[in-house]
Amino acid sequence: MTPLGEYLRARRAQVTPTEAGLPGGSRRRVPGLRREEVALLAGVSADYYVRLEQGRERNPSVQVLDALADVLRLGDDARTHLLHLAGATPRPRRPGTRERVDPQLRMLMDGWDTQPAIVLGRAYDVLAANALGDALFPVGSNLLVSVFCDPAARTFQHDWERAAHAVTAGFRLLHGAAPDDPRIREVLDEVLSRSPEFARLWARHDVRGKTAEPKILVHPQVGELELRMESFDVRSAPGQQLVVYHAEPGSPTAQNLALLGTLAATGARD
């Protein structure tokens, strides 16, 4: 089975007949939708859809992919991932083994003394950070590895389950865009080998990029931080993301961030 076939099978298993406007019934032997039901709703033959899942049909049109995305109730990120898997979007140029952060971007980040900011690489490596960002996500760490392989993440992430789902879905999007990237493959293999919980979530094939929803962290030095997050693609370095966190002005989190900045500036340790 191809990655496209695996993805289609995983996603149809997560759409209920009721969600698709079909009668459910109590004697269904498969979770989610049957192959023939997906085919019917997408306007393709059952045989064609079976060939797609089995990897015997490798060049579906964009129109077919759009129809499948609608049936499988895919969001924007998941729809883009589907197009990547089907080869309907151009693959990014293969990057070099070492990622570099633009010095001008570093200078800009250093000017934000009240907002933690980091630059993520193509495999969720933390490539650069300002002082507050480094206090939260140290440069040289990897977000996926940290969440699943560092025991401290269970207390640092206020809602660890939610964070685990989010980082897995985000990494799936990165992997779909560049499945042959050596660093992405290296990180994926490491976490699959070390974390059964990640392997379970990875098998779901959930896809979602970073969102601006609130994030609660519990820092060992300053306590709880309720942060908003904004993510921006770095135009000069495709694959890199600038992630900026901010707090409500005058809030307890803003005060805690100010304290964290003082501790970072003075080199204080736990």
Side-chain angles (χ1 to χ4, degrees):
M1 185 175 291
T2 62
L4 173 61
E6 291 179 0
Y7 186 59
L8 291 172
R9 184 175 65 176
R11 297 318 303 174
R12 71 176 168 86
Q14 297 181 48
V15 179
T16 67
T18 301
E19 289 173 329
L22 298 173
S26 59
R27 304 185 62 181
R28 299 177 67 87
R29 295 185 298 172
V30 297
L33 298 177
R34 301 184 181 100
R35 287 173 171 173
E36 59 269 23
E37 291 171 335
V38 175
L40 174 66
L41 294 170
V44 299
S45 71
D47 178 67
Y48 180 84
Y49 181 76
V50 169
R51 295 202 309 272
L52 273 180
E53 276 204 9
Q54 293 179 344
R56 294 186 288 121
E57 172 59 56
R58 296 174 179 268
N59 296 292
S61 68
V62 173
Q63 290 78 9
V64 167
L65 295 171
D66 281 338
L68 290 173
D70 289 339
V71 172
L72 299 177
R73 304 173 66 85
L74 301 184
D76 291 342
D77 291 330
R79 187 180 294 260
T80 298
H81 181 68
L82 177 67
L83 294 173
H84 279 311
L85 293 181
T89 58
R91 292 288 186 193
R93 180 174 57 86
R94 183 165 180 154
T97 56
R98 183 178 180 183
E99 293 185 280
R100 300 179 183 277
V101 178
D102 190 315
Q104 295 299 317
L105 179 55
R106 289 177 183 267
M107 186 182 303
L108 176 66
M109 294 164 57
D110 288 339
W112 298 331
D113 55 5
T114 60
Q115 292 89 29
I118 61 175
V119 176
L120 295 177
R122 61 186 184 269
Y124 277 168
D125 292 310
V126 181
L127 304 178
N130 61 7
L132 282 177
D134 192 53
L136 295 176
F137 307 102
V139 174
S141 63
N142 179 279
L143 292 192
L144 190 70
V145 175
S146 296
V147 167
F148 286 98
C149 304
D150 183 356
R154 306 282 174 153
T155 53
F156 179 66
Q157 299 283 350
H158 182 267
D159 187 340
W160 183 87
E161 287 284 346
R162 183 177 182 182
H165 277 81
V167 74
T168 302
F171 199 83
R172 175 66 76 174
L173 184 62
L174 300 179
H175 180 267
D180 299 323
D181 184 280
R183 179 56 183 159
I184 290 177
R185 188 75 246 177
E186 178 184 20
V187 171
L188 177 61
D189 289 345
E190 177 184 353
V191 186
L192 281 173
S193 68
R194 295 177 62 184
S195 174
E197 291 168 303
F198 172 70
R200 174 179 58 83
L201 291 176
W202 187 249
R204 287 178 51 88
H205 288 256
D206 292 332
V207 180
R208 188 178 64 152
K210 289 189 173 297
T211 63
E213 63 189 16
K215 186 178 186 68
I216 301 178
L217 305 175
V218 183
H219 195 275
Q221 291 177 294
V222 299
E224 189 171 290
L225 300 168
E226 184 174 352
L227 300 166
R228 288 277 181 176
M229 180 189 71
E230 301 291 343
S231 179
F232 309 91
D233 292 333
V234 179
R235 294 285 299 274
S236 61
Q240 291 184 12
Q241 301 175 63
L242 169 64
V243 184
V244 184
Y245 299 87
H246 59 96
E248 188 71 25
S251 65
T253 292
Q255 297 172 16
N256 288 343
L257 280 179
L259 174 59
L260 183 60
T262 299
L263 295 175
T266 58
R269 295 292 182 264
D270 296 344

